[in-house]
Amino acid sequence: MSKKVVLTGDRPTGKLHLGHYVGSLEKRVQMQDSGDYKMFVMIADEQALADNARNPKKVHDNLLEVALDYLAVGLDPTKTTMFVQSQIPALYELTFHYMGFINHGRLARIPTLKTDIKEKGFEKGLPMSWFTFPVSQCADITAFGAELVPVGEDQMPVIEINREIVRSFNATYGDVLVEPEGVVPEGIAKRLPGIYGMDDKMSKSLNNGIYLSDTPEEVASKVKEMYTDPGHIRVEDPGQVEGNVVFIYLDAFASDKAKVADLKKRYEAGGLGDMEVKNYLIEVLEELLVPIRARRSEYEKDLDKVRDILKQGTKHANQVANETLARVRTAMGLDYF
Ligand code: TRP
């Protein structure tokens, strides 16, 4: 059985946090270690520039940070191809070839576009780079023949557009491109809330995140700030578990489910203080983060090695993408002489 090709990516606009971990990174490492997949993980710097055209420093500064986070969680360059989007020229050309297979109205109807415009301050006008990023994403995916694309649920409309582009390209030129399938996380992994409450997911812009690279002191102080049950004033008061961020995190990260169930029961009955639950959460998070931090700090001592890992990954990615591009050009009849 041939291995299924998987492609995922992250925009290097900040360090990765626990939301990325439960939503995606953990699964990637499992898929990698299963040996059942051919994995490509892309640092999407060009897509990050799509909404940061005038702020390239942010993108440059975070490129190695994201690479360090990848290596820290256990992505292994001998098993997973990690590469940098902007260093793959074929992607730019494929993007242009695909432009004719999607129309303006279809892109304008992406449901997340309205929120993007507000959040990114594009009310006066949407940069074309952002408007067309779904086309560029289609190039990312098809260049590697990816069959599975793990993404957040809110990204599914973009994957649907990617599928439409592939279908119309193939309808014109034959069976050239592989139609991708989006894979979304399940359960709590779908949407880890930030530390201040259930209304917002963990996100850089809201400053409510716990980062994989946070120090033990930072983790502890963020857990101490976490939203619990505002009605749980004295230790003896019965507390609410539902909507209580500390318990949501315990469900997401603690492996001792029996202990969590017991804590919930005691909390609801009254007599269990927030600090005790929080201290346990700190312990649970540290168990996860200690090895991640240790690997990160090893690689931080040797950034040349990290750059070399990306360079080697990018070299392999270029070979694969160039093969796809050659097939596309031939299929399109662009091989005049
Ligand atoms: N859109 C993804 C994000 O916001 C990043 C990305 C770019 C990506 N190209 C991709 C993800 C291709 C999956 C496949 O994080």
Side-chain angles (χ1 to χ4, degrees):
M1 203 187 76
S2 74
K3 293 183 180 188
K4 284 215 169 189
V5 179
V6 180
L7 178 108
T8 59
D10 300 278
R11 296 151 37 80
T13 51
K15 296 178 178 187
L16 303 181
H17 52 56
L18 289 177
H20 295 114
Y21 186 79
V22 282
S24 179
L25 297 168
E26 185 182 24
K27 186 80 187 289
R28 288 183 209 176
V29 175
Q30 285 165 0
M31 287 174 106
Q32 162 193 279
D33 292 340
S34 76
D36 295 338
Y37 303 93
K38 181 160 171 52
M39 304 267 303
F40 291 93
V41 175
M42 178 181 77
I43 304 186
D45 59 336
E46 191 65 50
Q47 196 184 99
L49 286 169
D51 57 320
N52 289 289
R54 289 173 182 77
N55 190 12
K57 190 172 181 311
K58 175 159 132 192
V59 177
H60 298 155
D61 287 350
N62 283 297
L63 191 98
L64 280 187
E65 296 292 348
V66 170
L68 283 166
D69 284 331
Y70 285 168
L71 295 164
V73 297
L75 286 176
D76 173 347
T78 66
K79 299 179 186 162
T80 293
T81 302
M82 286 171 256
F83 68 98
V84 181
Q85 184 185 30
S86 64
Q87 306 306 300
I88 313 291
L91 297 180
Y92 297 95
E93 185 175 336
L94 287 171
T95 302
F96 204 81
H97 292 319
Y98 297 164
M99 290 285 184
F101 293 93
I102 193 80
N103 64 48
H104 178 278
R106 181 70 182 89
L107 290 176
R109 282 194 304 276
I110 296 182
T112 45
L113 207 58
K114 278 207 182 84
T115 14
D116 285 348
I117 291 173
K118 244 200 219 125
E119 279 175 9
K120 298 175 191 297
F122 291 150
E123 283 94 347
K124 285 199 180 131
L126 196 60
M128 285 309 289
S129 50
W130 189 253
F131 187 71
T132 56
F133 95 78
V135 188
S136 142
Q137 185 159 313
C138 189
D140 303 337
I141 293 169
T142 56
F144 301 96
E147 296 159 274
L148 301 179
V149 184
V151 287
E153 211 166 32
D154 58 336
Q155 295 268 309
M156 280 308 265
V158 175
I159 300 292
E160 199 42 55
I161 286 186
N162 297 165
R163 288 159 62 87
E164 287 171 31
I165 294 173
V166 168
R167 286 199 291 266
S168 30
F169 185 94
N170 285 352
T172 303
Y173 290 121
D175 210 4
V176 182
L177 304 174
V178 179
E179 187 171 327
E181 208 181 299
V183 193
V184 291
E186 285 161 30
I188 183 63
K190 259 187 205 164
R191 185 182 178 280
L192 189 74
I195 60 172
Y196 299 121
M198 298 301 289
D199 292 346
D200 296 308
K201 71 170 182 180
M202 192 173 277
S203 109
K204 279 181 290 265
S205 49
L206 297 171
N207 211 1
N208 63 359
I210 296 179
Y211 289 82
L212 298 173
S213 47
D214 278 350
T215 62
E217 294 72 30
E218 285 167 323
V219 172
S221 94
K222 288 176 182 182
V223 171
K224 283 176 188 156
E225 273 188 75
M226 246 181 209
Y227 179 87
T228 58
D229 168 10
H232 187 236
I233 296 164
R234 289 168 307 165
V235 173
E236 313 83 74
D237 294 339
Q240 271 221 17
V241 162
E242 203 182 309
N244 185 319
V245 177
V246 182
F247 282 103
I248 305 281
Y249 276 55
L250 284 176
D251 280 336
F253 295 102
S255 46
D256 189 345
K257 302 293 173 206
K259 168 145 189 180
V260 175
D262 180 58
L263 286 174
K264 285 181 181 173
K265 226 172 35 201
R266 287 172 52 207
Y267 194 80
E268 285 173 332
L272 176 60
D274 278 349
M275 266 330 290
E276 195 178 330
V277 195
K278 286 184 170 178
N279 282 335
Y280 179 54
L281 177 59
I282 292 170
E283 230 177 85
V284 164
L285 292 180
E286 281 305 309
E287 205 175 300
L288 170 74
L289 292 173
V290 163
I292 293 179
R293 258 186 230 117
R295 264 193 302 261
R296 200 180 210 277
S297 76
E298 277 310 301
Y299 281 108
E300 272 170 351
K301 284 184 217 142
D302 195 356
L303 290 178
D304 279 344
K305 184 166 172 188
V306 178
R307 275 185 214 100
D308 195 56
I309 287 169
L310 293 180
K311 191 171 161 190
Q312 297 308 323
T314 299
K315 192 171 160 193
H316 175 60
N318 261 316
Q319 282 162 358
V320 179
N322 285 336
E323 280 166 25
T324 304
L325 179 63
R327 273 191 290 112
V328 165
R329 290 184 66 96
T330 307
M332 291 178 78
L334 300 176
D335 46 357
Y336 305 125
F337 23 72

